[in-house]
Amino acid sequence: MIDFLTLDSKKIEILWYQKGQKDHPTLIFLHEGLGCTRMWKDFPEKVSQNTGCPALIFSRPGYGNSDPCPLPWKINFMHKEALSILPQVIKKAQIKKYILIGHSDGGSIGIIFAGSQYAQGLKGLITQAAHVFCEQITVDCIHQAKTNYKHHDLRQRLKKYHGKNTDNAFWGWNDVWLNPKFINWNIEKYLSRIQVPMLAIQGKDDQYGTIKQIESIKSRANHVKTCIINDCRHSPHLERPGKILDMMTQFIHDYLPGNCDQRGF
């Protein structure tokens, strides 16, 4: 059931599964650059059911049914989300131990957070299609998204999920990634600071980034398992849901024994 947290007088849309289960770490889902709570579909619920872990999904400011985030967004918007908004959400939701599961921008936010001083209570990190630096292929695809938004049906498709926040979400994200200065954006320094087990997933045919992204993660992060998914693009959990569900379930049980239910995984 959709609910809200209030952070500094701003409403943040949230959704819980198995809320109140305190014996296991909470799975916190961090959505992509044009995502929100509802765009995860039923995937978080399935991961929660498979692991016995409670799950919290939330829409960042400017997305879904959360309050708007004033435009223009700054180039360091993902740092703000990781080092200011996310710690507030964790504290407000009274979460003590947790695993972050981030997709695309959400994965990048998870990396920044996990490599920061705010990561007390963090037990693991799972990323899908995370960016750790900006590539020209990413910029080219985001230029195409701008064309699709202005001249085709992308705006209408996003409006189903973002409502009054549709323009806020799109232009906030799009303008930052297309800012000429953003080509120098890089968060690789956070990878070596991550002290928890990490699973990094990327589709082999990811249209928003090359395998150099996951190669960088593999070479810099400690305690990391990486996986490239064949016949898959930018959204593995939607394109290959069964495989990704099994992979995440196995990771949680293998690397975090005793934190989740005892089913022999």
Side-chain angles (χ1 to χ4, degrees), residues 206-241:
D206 188 344
Q207 70 272 34
Y208 279 95
T210 70
I211 60 170
K212 290 180 181 179
Q213 300 289 338
I214 202 165
E215 288 173 348
S216 175
I217 294 172
K218 184 176 183 178
S219 67
R220 288 173 170 81
N222 302 305
H223 318 297
V224 63
K225 178 180 180 181
T226 59
C227 189
I228 297 173
I229 308 299
N230 293 326
D231 301 317
C232 183
R233 303 181 80 200
H234 190 61
S235 301
H237 67 289
L238 298 179
E239 298 170 50
R240 302 289 298 278

PDB file of all heavy atoms in Angstrom, residues 206-241:
ATOM      1  N   ASP A 206      23.237  -3.491 -23.075  1.00  0.00           N
ATOM      2  CA  ASP A 206      22.788  -2.252 -22.434  1.00  0.00           C
ATOM      3  C   ASP A 206      23.016  -1.067 -23.367  1.00  0.00           C
ATOM      4  O   ASP A 206      24.153  -0.759 -23.733  1.00  0.00           O
ATOM      5  CB  ASP A 206      23.561  -2.049 -21.123  1.00  0.00           C
ATOM      6  CG  ASP A 206      23.036  -0.907 -20.284  1.00  0.00           C
ATOM      7  OD1 ASP A 206      22.273  -0.064 -20.794  1.00  0.00           O
ATOM      8  OD2 ASP A 206      23.394  -0.842 -19.095  1.00  0.00           O
ATOM      9  N   GLN A 207      21.926  -0.407 -23.738  1.00  0.00           N
ATOM     10  CA  GLN A 207      22.034   0.713 -24.673  1.00  0.00           C
ATOM     11  C   GLN A 207      22.513   1.999 -24.012  1.00  0.00           C
ATOM     12  O   GLN A 207      22.876   2.954 -24.686  1.00  0.00           O
ATOM     13  CB  GLN A 207      20.682   0.955 -25.368  1.00  0.00           C
ATOM     14  CG  GLN A 207      19.570   1.522 -24.487  1.00  0.00           C
ATOM     15  CD  GLN A 207      18.752   0.462 -23.773  1.00  0.00           C
ATOM     16  OE1 GLN A 207      19.277  -0.581 -23.381  1.00  0.00           O
ATOM     17  NE2 GLN A 207      17.458   0.727 -23.603  1.00  0.00           N
ATOM     18  N   TYR A 208      22.529   2.014 -22.673  1.00  0.00           N
ATOM     19  CA  TYR A 208      22.925   3.221 -21.948  1.00  0.00           C
ATOM     20  C   TYR A 208      24.360   3.163 -21.418  1.00  0.00           C
ATOM     21  O   TYR A 208      24.812   4.109 -20.774  1.00  0.00           O
ATOM     22  CB  TYR A 208      21.970   3.477 -20.781  1.00  0.00           C
ATOM     23  CG  TYR A 208      20.679   4.151 -21.202  1.00  0.00           C
ATOM     24  CD1 TYR A 208      19.536   3.404 -21.470  1.00  0.00           C
ATOM     25  CD2 TYR A 208      20.600   5.535 -21.330  1.00  0.00           C
ATOM     26  CE1 TYR A 208      18.358   4.019 -21.853  1.00  0.00           C
ATOM     27  CE2 TYR A 208      19.426   6.159 -21.711  1.00  0.00           C
ATOM     28  CZ  TYR A 208      18.308   5.391 -21.970  1.00  0.00           C
ATOM     29  OH  TYR A 208      17.130   6.002 -22.352  1.00  0.00           O
ATOM     30  N   GLY A 209      25.062   2.076 -21.654  1.00  0.00           N
ATOM     31  CA  GLY A 209      26.433   1.997 -21.156  1.00  0.00           C
ATOM     32  C   GLY A 209      27.122   0.740 -21.661  1.00  0.00           C
ATOM     33  O   GLY A 209      26.478  -0.292 -21.860  1.00  0.00           O
ATOM     34  N   THR A 210      28.431   0.817 -21.853  1.00  0.00           N
ATOM     35  CA  THR A 210      29.196  -0.343 -22.302  1.00  0.00           C
ATOM     36  C   THR A 210      29.628  -1.189 -21.100  1.00  0.00           C
ATOM     37  O   THR A 210      29.473  -0.782 -19.944  1.00  0.00           O
ATOM     38  CB  THR A 210      30.460   0.098 -23.067  1.00  0.00           C
ATOM     39  OG1 THR A 210      31.391   0.677 -22.143  1.00  0.00           O
ATOM     40  CG2 THR A 210      30.117   1.124 -24.147  1.00  0.00           C
ATOM     41  N   ILE A 211      30.207  -2.339 -21.388  1.00  0.00           N
ATOM     42  CA  ILE A 211      30.662  -3.213 -20.299  1.00  0.00           C
ATOM     43  C   ILE A 211      31.875  -2.623 -19.572  1.00  0.00           C
ATOM     44  O   ILE A 211      32.310  -3.179 -18.560  1.00  0.00           O
ATOM     45  CB  ILE A 211      30.976  -4.637 -20.790  1.00  0.00           C
ATOM     46  CG1 ILE A 211      32.069  -4.628 -21.853  1.00  0.00           C
ATOM     47  CG2 ILE A 211      29.712  -5.320 -21.287  1.00  0.00           C
ATOM     48  CD1 ILE A 211      32.582  -6.015 -22.199  1.00  0.00           C
ATOM     49  N   LYS A 212      32.380  -1.495 -20.051  1.00  0.00           N
ATOM     50  CA  LYS A 212      33.450  -0.809 -19.307  1.00  0.00           C
ATOM     51  C   LYS A 212      32.961  -0.386 -17.923  1.00  0.00           C
ATOM     52  O   LYS A 212      33.761  -0.259 -16.996  1.00  0.00           O
ATOM     53  CB  LYS A 212      33.942   0.410 -20.088  1.00  0.00           C
ATOM     54  CG  LYS A 212      34.715   0.060 -21.355  1.00  0.00           C
ATOM     55  CD  LYS A 212      35.172   1.320 -22.077  1.00  0.00           C
ATOM     56  CE  LYS A 212      35.936   0.964 -23.354  1.00  0.00           C
ATOM     57  NZ  LYS A 212      36.361   2.195 -24.078  1.00  0.00           N
ATOM     58  N   GLN A 213      31.638  -0.181 -17.793  1.00  0.00           N
ATOM     59  CA  GLN A 213      31.087   0.197 -16.490  1.00  0.00           C
ATOM     60  C   GLN A 213      31.280  -0.934 -15.483  1.00  0.00           C
ATOM     61  O   GLN A 213      31.828  -0.737 -14.393  1.00  0.00           O
ATOM     62  CB  GLN A 213      29.589   0.543 -16.634  1.00  0.00           C
ATOM     63  CG  GLN A 213      29.279   1.694 -17.575  1.00  0.00           C
ATOM     64  CD  GLN A 213      29.707   3.041 -17.030  1.00  0.00           C
ATOM     65  OE1 GLN A 213      29.868   3.240 -15.825  1.00  0.00           O
ATOM     66  NE2 GLN A 213      29.903   4.003 -17.921  1.00  0.00           N
ATOM     67  N   ILE A 214      30.843  -2.119 -15.843  1.00  0.00           N
ATOM     68  CA  ILE A 214      30.932  -3.242 -14.905  1.00  0.00           C
ATOM     69  C   ILE A 214      32.382  -3.713 -14.749  1.00  0.00           C
ATOM     70  O   ILE A 214      32.774  -4.215 -13.692  1.00  0.00           O
ATOM     71  CB  ILE A 214      29.990  -4.395 -15.333  1.00  0.00           C
ATOM     72  CG1 ILE A 214      29.678  -5.284 -14.130  1.00  0.00           C
ATOM     73  CG2 ILE A 214      30.548  -5.178 -16.496  1.00  0.00           C
ATOM     74  CD1 ILE A 214      28.503  -6.219 -14.350  1.00  0.00           C
ATOM     75  N   GLU A 215      33.191  -3.519 -15.776  1.00  0.00           N
ATOM     76  CA  GLU A 215      34.618  -3.838 -15.657  1.00  0.00           C
ATOM     77  C   GLU A 215      35.302  -2.930 -14.637  1.00  0.00           C
ATOM     78  O   GLU A 215      36.164  -3.368 -13.867  1.00  0.00           O
ATOM     79  CB  GLU A 215      35.290  -3.723 -17.020  1.00  0.00           C
ATOM     80  CG  GLU A 215      34.924  -4.847 -17.981  1.00  0.00           C
ATOM     81  CD  GLU A 215      35.468  -4.638 -19.373  1.00  0.00           C
ATOM     82  OE1 GLU A 215      35.950  -3.508 -19.664  1.00  0.00           O
ATOM     83  OE2 GLU A 215      35.423  -5.578 -20.178  1.00  0.00           O
ATOM     84  N   SER A 216      34.907  -1.658 -14.621  1.00  0.00           N
ATOM     85  CA  SER A 216      35.455  -0.732 -13.635  1.00  0.00           C
ATOM     86  C   SER A 216      35.042  -1.135 -12.228  1.00  0.00           C
ATOM     87  O   SER A 216      35.862  -1.112 -11.294  1.00  0.00           O
ATOM     88  CB  SER A 216      34.985   0.700 -13.923  1.00  0.00           C
ATOM     89  OG  SER A 216      35.419   1.586 -12.915  1.00  0.00           O
ATOM     90  N   ILE A 217      33.779  -1.506 -12.074  1.00  0.00           N
ATOM     91  CA  ILE A 217      33.296  -1.962 -10.763  1.00  0.00           C
ATOM     92  C   ILE A 217      34.080  -3.181 -10.300  1.00  0.00           C
ATOM     93  O   ILE A 217      34.535  -3.252  -9.156  1.00  0.00           O
ATOM     94  CB  ILE A 217      31.790  -2.273 -10.832  1.00  0.00           C
ATOM     95  CG1 ILE A 217      30.988  -0.982 -11.089  1.00  0.00           C
ATOM     96  CG2 ILE A 217      31.309  -2.958  -9.553  1.00  0.00           C
ATOM     97  CD1 ILE A 217      29.516  -1.213 -11.374  1.00  0.00           C
ATOM     98  N   LYS A 218      34.283  -4.134 -11.204  1.00  0.00           N
ATOM     99  CA  LYS A 218      34.986  -5.367 -10.859  1.00  0.00           C
ATOM    100  C   LYS A 218      36.429  -5.105 -10.448  1.00  0.00           C
ATOM    101  O   LYS A 218      36.962  -5.741  -9.528  1.00  0.00           O
ATOM    102  CB  LYS A 218      34.953  -6.335 -12.047  1.00  0.00           C
ATOM    103  CG  LYS A 218      35.577  -7.687 -11.757  1.00  0.00           C
ATOM    104  CD  LYS A 218      35.411  -8.621 -12.950  1.00  0.00           C
ATOM    105  CE  LYS A 218      35.978 -10.002 -12.641  1.00  0.00           C
ATOM    106  NZ  LYS A 218      35.781 -10.940 -13.779  1.00  0.00           N
ATOM    107  N   SER A 219      37.086  -4.154 -11.104  1.00  0.00           N
ATOM    108  CA  SER A 219      38.504  -3.906 -10.840  1.00  0.00           C
ATOM    109  C   SER A 219      38.745  -3.059  -9.600  1.00  0.00           C
ATOM    110  O   SER A 219      39.830  -3.102  -9.019  1.00  0.00           O
ATOM    111  CB  SER A 219      39.145  -3.215 -12.051  1.00  0.00           C
ATOM    112  OG  SER A 219      38.625  -1.906 -12.227  1.00  0.00           O
ATOM    113  N   ARG A 220      37.728  -2.310  -9.161  1.00  0.00           N
ATOM    114  CA  ARG A 220      37.932  -1.364  -8.068  1.00  0.00           C
ATOM    115  C   ARG A 220      37.258  -1.758  -6.752  1.00  0.00           C
ATOM    116  O   ARG A 220      37.734  -1.385  -5.682  1.00  0.00           O
ATOM    117  CB  ARG A 220      37.448   0.029  -8.475  1.00  0.00           C
ATOM    118  CG  ARG A 220      38.351   0.701  -9.489  1.00  0.00           C
ATOM    119  CD  ARG A 220      37.744   2.012  -9.995  1.00  0.00           C
ATOM    120  NE  ARG A 220      38.724   2.766 -10.780  1.00  0.00           N
ATOM    121  CZ  ARG A 220      39.012   2.525 -12.044  1.00  0.00           C
ATOM    122  NH1 ARG A 220      38.391   1.538 -12.681  1.00  0.00           N
ATOM    123  NH2 ARG A 220      39.911   3.246 -12.697  1.00  0.00           N
ATOM    124  N   ALA A 221      36.145  -2.476  -6.829  1.00  0.00           N
ATOM    125  CA  ALA A 221      35.398  -2.804  -5.605  1.00  0.00           C
ATOM    126  C   ALA A 221      35.949  -4.067  -4.954  1.00  0.00           C
ATOM    127  O   ALA A 221      36.452  -4.973  -5.632  1.00  0.00           O
ATOM    128  CB  ALA A 221      33.918  -2.975  -5.917  1.00  0.00           C
ATOM    129  N   ASN A 222      35.857  -4.128  -3.638  1.00  0.00           N
ATOM    130  CA  ASN A 222      36.228  -5.324  -2.885  1.00  0.00           C
ATOM    131  C   ASN A 222      34.989  -6.192  -2.678  1.00  0.00           C
ATOM    132  O   ASN A 222      33.872  -5.688  -2.622  1.00  0.00           O
ATOM    133  CB  ASN A 222      36.808  -4.928  -1.528  1.00  0.00           C
ATOM    134  CG  ASN A 222      38.008  -4.020  -1.660  1.00  0.00           C
ATOM    135  OD1 ASN A 222      38.969  -4.351  -2.335  1.00  0.00           O
ATOM    136  ND2 ASN A 222      37.949  -2.858  -1.027  1.00  0.00           N
ATOM    137  N   HIS A 223      35.162  -7.494  -2.540  1.00  0.00           N
ATOM    138  CA  HIS A 223      34.039  -8.395  -2.223  1.00  0.00           C
ATOM    139  C   HIS A 223      32.900  -8.246  -3.231  1.00  0.00           C
ATOM    140  O   HIS A 223      31.731  -8.210  -2.855  1.00  0.00           O
ATOM    141  CB  HIS A 223      33.516  -8.133  -0.813  1.00  0.00           C
ATOM    142  CG  HIS A 223      34.569  -7.905   0.208  1.00  0.00           C
ATOM    143  ND1 HIS A 223      35.489  -8.864   0.554  1.00  0.00           N
ATOM    144  CD2 HIS A 223      34.867  -6.814   0.957  1.00  0.00           C
ATOM    145  CE1 HIS A 223      36.308  -8.389   1.478  1.00  0.00           C
ATOM    146  NE2 HIS A 223      35.956  -7.151   1.734  1.00  0.00           N
ATOM    147  N   VAL A 224      33.231  -8.152  -4.519  1.00  0.00           N
ATOM    148  CA  VAL A 224      32.200  -7.940  -5.538  1.00  0.00           C
ATOM    149  C   VAL A 224      32.085  -9.150  -6.453  1.00  0.00           C
ATOM    150  O   VAL A 224      33.080  -9.775  -6.820  1.00  0.00           O
ATOM    151  CB  VAL A 224      32.486  -6.668  -6.373  1.00  0.00           C
ATOM    152  CG1 VAL A 224      33.800  -6.798  -7.145  1.00  0.00           C
ATOM    153  CG2 VAL A 224      31.328  -6.372  -7.326  1.00  0.00           C
ATOM    154  N   LYS A 225      30.845  -9.480  -6.784  1.00  0.00           N
ATOM    155  CA  LYS A 225      30.550 -10.478  -7.803  1.00  0.00           C
ATOM    156  C   LYS A 225      29.876  -9.751  -8.954  1.00  0.00           C
ATOM    157  O   LYS A 225      28.919  -8.996  -8.735  1.00  0.00           O
ATOM    158  CB  LYS A 225      29.617 -11.565  -7.248  1.00  0.00           C
ATOM    159  CG  LYS A 225      29.221 -12.621  -8.288  1.00  0.00           C
ATOM    160  CD  LYS A 225      28.308 -13.668  -7.681  1.00  0.00           C
ATOM    161  CE  LYS A 225      27.920 -14.715  -8.723  1.00  0.00           C
ATOM    162  NZ  LYS A 225      27.008 -15.741  -8.147  1.00  0.00           N
ATOM    163  N   THR A 226      30.367  -9.953 -10.173  1.00  0.00           N
ATOM    164  CA  THR A 226      29.781  -9.282 -11.330  1.00  0.00           C
ATOM    165  C   THR A 226      29.177 -10.304 -12.275  1.00  0.00           C
ATOM    166  O   THR A 226      29.642 -11.448 -12.354  1.00  0.00           O
ATOM    167  CB  THR A 226      30.828  -8.443 -12.081  1.00  0.00           C
ATOM    168  OG1 THR A 226      31.896  -9.294 -12.523  1.00  0.00           O
ATOM    169  CG2 THR A 226      31.391  -7.347 -11.185  1.00  0.00           C
ATOM    170  N   CYS A 227      28.157  -9.878 -12.994  1.00  0.00           N
ATOM    171  CA  CYS A 227      27.492 -10.773 -13.942  1.00  0.00           C
ATOM    172  C   CYS A 227      26.979  -9.980 -15.131  1.00  0.00           C
ATOM    173  O   CYS A 227      26.260  -8.989 -14.958  1.00  0.00           O
ATOM    174  CB  CYS A 227      26.339 -11.513 -13.257  1.00  0.00           C
ATOM    175  SG  CYS A 227      25.647 -12.818 -14.290  1.00  0.00           S
ATOM    176  N   ILE A 228      27.348 -10.403 -16.322  1.00  0.00           N
ATOM    177  CA  ILE A 228      26.848  -9.809 -17.562  1.00  0.00           C
ATOM    178  C   ILE A 228      25.775 -10.741 -18.117  1.00  0.00           C
ATOM    179  O   ILE A 228      26.005 -11.936 -18.303  1.00  0.00           O
ATOM    180  CB  ILE A 228      27.988  -9.617 -18.578  1.00  0.00           C
ATOM    181  CG1 ILE A 228      29.025  -8.631 -18.023  1.00  0.00           C
ATOM    182  CG2 ILE A 228      27.439  -9.110 -19.906  1.00  0.00           C
ATOM    183  CD1 ILE A 228      30.274  -8.508 -18.873  1.00  0.00           C
ATOM    184  N   ILE A 229      24.594 -10.190 -18.366  1.00  0.00           N
ATOM    185  CA  ILE A 229      23.434 -10.975 -18.783  1.00  0.00           C
ATOM    186  C   ILE A 229      23.286 -10.922 -20.296  1.00  0.00           C
ATOM    187  O   ILE A 229      23.124  -9.838 -20.876  1.00  0.00           O
ATOM    188  CB  ILE A 229      22.145 -10.451 -18.115  1.00  0.00           C
ATOM    189  CG1 ILE A 229      22.323 -10.340 -16.602  1.00  0.00           C
ATOM    190  CG2 ILE A 229      20.965 -11.357 -18.458  1.00  0.00           C
ATOM    191  CD1 ILE A 229      22.617 -11.633 -15.905  1.00  0.00           C
ATOM    192  N   ASN A 230      23.341 -12.075 -20.950  1.00  0.00           N
ATOM    193  CA  ASN A 230      23.167 -12.133 -22.398  1.00  0.00           C
ATOM    194  C   ASN A 230      21.730 -11.821 -22.794  1.00  0.00           C
ATOM    195  O   ASN A 230      20.791 -12.037 -22.015  1.00  0.00           O
ATOM    196  CB  ASN A 230      23.548 -13.513 -22.922  1.00  0.00           C
ATOM    197  CG  ASN A 230      25.034 -13.800 -22.786  1.00  0.00           C
ATOM    198  OD1 ASN A 230      25.860 -12.897 -22.914  1.00  0.00           O
ATOM    199  ND2 ASN A 230      25.380 -15.053 -22.523  1.00  0.00           N
ATOM    200  N   ASP A 231      21.555 -11.339 -24.018  1.00  0.00           N
ATOM    201  CA  ASP A 231      20.225 -11.026 -24.553  1.00  0.00           C
ATOM    202  C   ASP A 231      19.457 -10.112 -23.607  1.00  0.00           C
ATOM    203  O   ASP A 231      18.278 -10.334 -23.312  1.00  0.00           O
ATOM    204  CB  ASP A 231      19.418 -12.306 -24.804  1.00  0.00           C
ATOM    205  CG  ASP A 231      20.109 -13.236 -25.785  1.00  0.00           C
ATOM    206  OD1 ASP A 231      20.620 -12.730 -26.797  1.00  0.00           O
ATOM    207  OD2 ASP A 231      20.153 -14.447 -25.527  1.00  0.00           O
ATOM    208  N   CYS A 232      20.117  -9.086 -23.128  1.00  0.00           N
ATOM    209  CA  CYS A 232      19.515  -8.191 -22.135  1.00  0.00           C
ATOM    210  C   CYS A 232      20.077  -6.793 -22.339  1.00  0.00           C
ATOM    211  O   CYS A 232      21.268  -6.614 -22.591  1.00  0.00           O
ATOM    212  CB  CYS A 232      19.836  -8.705 -20.730  1.00  0.00           C
ATOM    213  SG  CYS A 232      19.094  -7.737 -19.412  1.00  0.00           S
ATOM    214  N   ARG A 233      19.195  -5.800 -22.175  1.00  0.00           N
ATOM    215  CA  ARG A 233      19.606  -4.415 -22.349  1.00  0.00           C
ATOM    216  C   ARG A 233      19.721  -3.712 -20.989  1.00  0.00           C
ATOM    217  O   ARG A 233      20.414  -4.195 -20.105  1.00  0.00           O
ATOM    218  CB  ARG A 233      18.642  -3.712 -23.303  1.00  0.00           C
ATOM    219  CG  ARG A 233      18.542  -4.405 -24.669  1.00  0.00           C
ATOM    220  CD  ARG A 233      17.612  -3.677 -25.602  1.00  0.00           C
ATOM    221  NE  ARG A 233      18.263  -2.520 -26.207  1.00  0.00           N
ATOM    222  CZ  ARG A 233      17.609  -1.493 -26.746  1.00  0.00           C
ATOM    223  NH1 ARG A 233      16.274  -1.460 -26.718  1.00  0.00           N
ATOM    224  NH2 ARG A 233      18.269  -0.493 -27.298  1.00  0.00           N
ATOM    225  N   HIS A 234      18.994  -2.608 -20.793  1.00  0.00           N
ATOM    226  CA  HIS A 234      19.246  -1.740 -19.646  1.00  0.00           C
ATOM    227  C   HIS A 234      18.454  -2.097 -18.390  1.00  0.00           C
ATOM    228  O   HIS A 234      18.764  -1.595 -17.316  1.00  0.00           O
ATOM    229  CB  HIS A 234      18.935  -0.289 -20.052  1.00  0.00           C
ATOM    230  CG  HIS A 234      19.371   0.737 -19.052  1.00  0.00           C
ATOM    231  ND1 HIS A 234      20.690   0.901 -18.674  1.00  0.00           N
ATOM    232  CD2 HIS A 234      18.651   1.647 -18.328  1.00  0.00           C
ATOM    233  CE1 HIS A 234      20.778   1.877 -17.783  1.00  0.00           C
ATOM    234  NE2 HIS A 234      19.565   2.335 -17.546  1.00  0.00           N
ATOM    235  N   SER A 235      17.456  -2.956 -18.499  1.00  0.00           N
ATOM    236  CA  SER A 235      16.597  -3.250 -17.344  1.00  0.00           C
ATOM    237  C   SER A 235      16.513  -4.751 -17.092  1.00  0.00           C
ATOM    238  O   SER A 235      15.480  -5.387 -17.357  1.00  0.00           O
ATOM    239  CB  SER A 235      15.193  -2.672 -17.569  1.00  0.00           C
ATOM    240  OG  SER A 235      15.241  -1.273 -17.752  1.00  0.00           O
ATOM    241  N   PRO A 236      17.560  -5.352 -16.559  1.00  0.00           N
ATOM    242  CA  PRO A 236      17.581  -6.809 -16.375  1.00  0.00           C
ATOM    243  C   PRO A 236      16.404  -7.358 -15.586  1.00  0.00           C
ATOM    244  O   PRO A 236      15.879  -8.426 -15.913  1.00  0.00           O
ATOM    245  CB  PRO A 236      18.908  -7.041 -15.637  1.00  0.00           C
ATOM    246  CG  PRO A 236      19.784  -5.915 -16.090  1.00  0.00           C
ATOM    247  CD  PRO A 236      18.855  -4.732 -16.195  1.00  0.00           C
ATOM    248  N   HIS A 237      15.954  -6.661 -14.531  1.00  0.00           N
ATOM    249  CA  HIS A 237      14.879  -7.197 -13.688  1.00  0.00           C
ATOM    250  C   HIS A 237      13.543  -7.232 -14.414  1.00  0.00           C
ATOM    251  O   HIS A 237      12.636  -7.962 -13.995  1.00  0.00           O
ATOM    252  CB  HIS A 237      14.755  -6.393 -12.393  1.00  0.00           C
ATOM    253  CG  HIS A 237      14.287  -4.988 -12.582  1.00  0.00           C
ATOM    254  ND1 HIS A 237      15.073  -4.010 -13.150  1.00  0.00           N
ATOM    255  CD2 HIS A 237      13.106  -4.392 -12.281  1.00  0.00           C
ATOM    256  CE1 HIS A 237      14.406  -2.869 -13.183  1.00  0.00           C
ATOM    257  NE2 HIS A 237      13.212  -3.073 -12.678  1.00  0.00           N
ATOM    258  N   LEU A 238      13.405  -6.471 -15.486  1.00  0.00           N
ATOM    259  CA  LEU A 238      12.178  -6.499 -16.288  1.00  0.00           C
ATOM    260  C   LEU A 238      12.328  -7.384 -17.519  1.00  0.00           C
ATOM    261  O   LEU A 238      11.365  -8.007 -17.954  1.00  0.00           O
ATOM    262  CB  LEU A 238      11.793  -5.079 -16.721  1.00  0.00           C
ATOM    263  CG  LEU A 238      11.473  -4.087 -15.596  1.00  0.00           C
ATOM    264  CD1 LEU A 238      11.138  -2.712 -16.181  1.00  0.00           C
ATOM    265  CD2 LEU A 238      10.307  -4.586 -14.732  1.00  0.00           C
ATOM    266  N   GLU A 239      13.538  -7.442 -18.072  1.00  0.00           N
ATOM    267  CA  GLU A 239      13.775  -8.214 -19.288  1.00  0.00           C
ATOM    268  C   GLU A 239      14.057  -9.688 -19.006  1.00  0.00           C
ATOM    269  O   GLU A 239      13.667 -10.557 -19.776  1.00  0.00           O
ATOM    270  CB  GLU A 239      14.940  -7.606 -20.063  1.00  0.00           C
ATOM    271  CG  GLU A 239      14.678  -6.173 -20.519  1.00  0.00           C
ATOM    272  CD  GLU A 239      15.931  -5.510 -21.060  1.00  0.00           C
ATOM    273  OE1 GLU A 239      16.607  -6.119 -21.915  1.00  0.00           O
ATOM    274  OE2 GLU A 239      16.249  -4.376 -20.624  1.00  0.00           O
ATOM    275  N   ARG A 240      14.734  -9.958 -17.885  1.00  0.00           N
ATOM    276  CA  ARG A 240      15.062 -11.337 -17.501  1.00  0.00           C
ATOM    277  C   ARG A 240      14.699 -11.538 -16.026  1.00  0.00           C
ATOM    278  O   ARG A 240      15.554 -11.870 -15.203  1.00  0.00           O
ATOM    279  CB  ARG A 240      16.553 -11.609 -17.719  1.00  0.00           C
ATOM    280  CG  ARG A 240      17.045 -11.391 -19.145  1.00  0.00           C
ATOM    281  CD  ARG A 240      16.533 -12.447 -20.101  1.00  0.00           C
ATOM    282  NE  ARG A 240      16.989 -13.769 -19.731  1.00  0.00           N
ATOM    283  CZ  ARG A 240      18.186 -14.262 -20.047  1.00  0.00           C
ATOM    284  NH1 ARG A 240      19.040 -13.529 -20.750  1.00  0.00           N
ATOM    285  NH2 ARG A 240      18.524 -15.477 -19.682  1.00  0.00           N
ATOM    286  N   PRO A 241      13.413 -11.344 -15.682  1.00  0.00           N
ATOM    287  CA  PRO A 241      13.027 -11.305 -14.262  1.00  0.00           C
ATOM    288  C   PRO A 241      13.327 -12.567 -13.480  1.00  0.00           C
ATOM    289  O   PRO A 241      13.770 -12.494 -12.328  1.00  0.00           O
ATOM    290  CB  PRO A 241      11.524 -11.016 -14.312  1.00  0.00           C
ATOM    291  CG  PRO A 241      11.090 -11.444 -15.681  1.00  0.00           C
ATOM    292  CD  PRO A 241      12.257 -11.154 -16.579  1.00  0.00           C
TER     293      PRO A 241
END
